[in-house]
Amino acid sequence: MESIGISLSYLLDLIIGDPYWFPHPVKGMARLIIFLEERLKNNKEGYVLRIKGILLAVIVVGVSATTAYMLLYFAGRIDYILKFVFWIILGYTSLATKDLFLHVKRILERIKNEDIEGARKNLSFIVGRDTQDLSRKEVICACIESIAENTNDGIIAPLFYLILGGPTLAVGYKAINTLDSMVGYKNQDYRDLGWFSAKLDDFVNFIPARITGILIVISSFLLRYNFKDSFRIMCRDGRNHLSPNSGISEAAMAAALGIRVGGPAKYKGKLVVKPYIGEDKTFIEPGLINKAIKVMFLTSFLMALIGVVLRWVI
């Protein structure tokens, strides 16, 4: 039944996505993080904030995973079919395939309509960098870079944990990823409070990120993109990133499309010098975003298929 649950969760995400009106668990996680942050971030001493950072992560992940577990437990006490329905819903809400696709398509449409200002604004919803001064070429590259990173964070990693431990583990992962996106910064405001969340996110993404890289290479082969460069540059440039994980998928994707990503970028007005990833071999044009989307979809399908087969065999 778990193999069926994985397939239905994946299909539901592809069909429905994350409609605004839906009470998505991530919204609840975000509210809890904001609530706790306001009460914990009142001491400027580094070591105290670091301890509070651990407390913040433990509470948010614990509450999220426990809520998912209890929903499944009590639903199972009422009826097995009800538990299965909750299993699918929780599994589906841990994925973000269609949501990523819709965000990217909005950016692509803006670029095609020569609305660079609108493309920059839409891009700001899926990247952490400042986007207001990016050129057309930089918007396209940043969009592809974000597709590669979010293929892991929003699709492959939650699928990995859904396969490994069901919705409870997938929701727990989603809580960690949400913590990292909200407080896991290395700036002055979050260097201490968010350090544990950032390290925890690095830890739980270590294996999924490498699975994502391999699946991007395989997808590139199936789509007849440059899979040889994808594998070679993933191995060469995968560590050319401030994150120990994000560079893997970014290098595999960039090389498959023949482009270079990374490099200097501004975050809240501050210039951050990052290494380049990939090689400039292809003219940068909007069609590359469509190619990246195809890689993203095929990569997600392969992971879902692997999960269904593994759970069926087990």
Side-chain angles (χ1 to χ4, degrees):
M1 293 299 286
E2 288 186 353
S3 61
I4 298 174
I6 292 167
S7 60
L8 290 177
S9 295
Y10 177 69
L11 288 173
L12 200 60
D13 176 53
L14 289 181
I15 296 167
I16 298 177
D18 298 328
Y20 180 77
W21 54 265
F22 188 76
H24 200 285
V26 170
K27 296 177 183 177
M29 295 172 190
R31 291 192 185 99
L32 179 59
I33 292 168
I34 292 170
F35 174 83
L36 292 172
E37 181 188 349
E38 290 174 349
R39 284 150 182 80
L40 293 174
K41 199 176 179 181
N42 56 7
N43 192 310
K44 299 299 182 181
E45 293 182 53
Y47 74 94
V48 175
L49 278 179
R50 283 179 169 250
I51 294 172
K52 289 181 177 181
I54 298 174
L55 183 62
L56 172 65
V58 169
I59 293 174
V60 172
V61 177
V63 168
S64 302
T66 301
T67 301
Y69 176 83
M70 296 305 291
L71 280 172
L72 292 172
Y73 176 77
F74 285 113
R77 293 289 297 269
I78 297 170
D79 185 78
Y80 182 76
I81 299 300
L82 182 63
K83 179 181 179 180
F84 186 57
V85 169
F86 272 100
W87 200 105
I88 295 168
I89 293 173
L90 289 171
Y92 140 68
T93 56
S94 70
L95 306 175
T97 316
K98 186 174 181 179
D99 190 52
L100 176 59
F101 167 72
L102 291 176
H103 276 299
V104 170
K105 288 298 284 185
R106 292 188 195 104
I107 298 168
L108 182 58
E109 288 302 316
R110 296 283 191 178
I111 295 172
K112 287 181 176 179
N113 293 328
E114 299 299 328
D115 180 11
I116 301 303
E117 186 60 39
R120 291 168 181 155
K121 184 177 180 180
N122 285 126
L123 178 66
S124 68
F125 297 141
I126 62 171
V127 300
R129 73 183 67 183
D130 298 342
T131 62
Q132 63 269 20
D133 297 322
L134 297 182
S135 66
R136 183 174 184 269
K137 175 182 175 180
E138 289 171 332
V139 168
I140 293 171
C141 288
C143 184
I144 293 171
E145 189 176 337
S146 183
I147 292 171
E149 183 177 358
N150 284 293
T151 295
N152 176 72
D153 293 353
I155 307 169
I156 304 303
L159 266 173
F160 173 79
Y161 286 105
L162 186 64
I163 295 163
L164 191 65
T168 301
L169 212 55
V171 169
Y173 166 79
K174 205 68 179 178
I176 294 171
N177 192 240
T178 304
L179 277 161
D180 181 62
S181 66
M182 293 183 67
V183 301
Y185 298 102
K186 294 182 179 180
N187 58 32
Q188 186 175 354
D189 292 333
Y190 292 106
R191 183 179 60 248
D192 294 316
L193 186 68
W195 76 276
F196 185 76
S197 294
K199 292 296 183 183
L200 191 57
D201 186 74
D202 289 343
F203 177 76
V204 298
N205 272 305
F206 186 84
I207 294 174
R210 281 138 187 87
I211 293 173
T212 303
I214 294 298
L215 290 178
I216 288 175
V217 173
I218 295 171
S219 298
S220 301
F221 169 74
L222 295 174
L223 290 168
R224 298 185 179 181
Y225 297 162
N226 200 335
F227 73 94
K228 291 182 180 179
D229 273 359
S230 182
F231 180 74
R232 175 178 64 86
I233 291 176
M234 178 183 69
C235 296
R236 190 193 74 182
D237 292 352
R239 294 185 179 181
N240 288 0
H241 200 283
L242 300 177
S243 162
N245 302 314
S246 298
I248 304 294
S249 57
E250 290 179 17
M253 180 73 81
L257 302 180
I259 66 171
R260 187 176 70 168
V261 298
K266 286 185 177 180
Y267 292 83
K268 295 184 177 180
K270 183 180 179 181
L271 183 66
V272 177
V273 179
K274 302 187 295 182
Y276 284 103
I277 294 173
E279 299 170 348
D280 275 323
K281 291 186 174 182
T282 305
F283 177 72
I284 306 299
E285 49 89 20
L288 291 175
I289 294 177
N290 276 326
K291 287 187 174 183
I293 290 172
K294 289 179 182 178
V295 173
M296 179 267 289
F297 273 123
L298 185 52
T299 298
S300 70
F301 172 76
L302 291 174
M303 187 64 186
L305 181 62
I306 290 169
V308 168
V309 172
L310 283 176
R311 296 309 305 182
W312 185 273
V313 171
I314 292 173

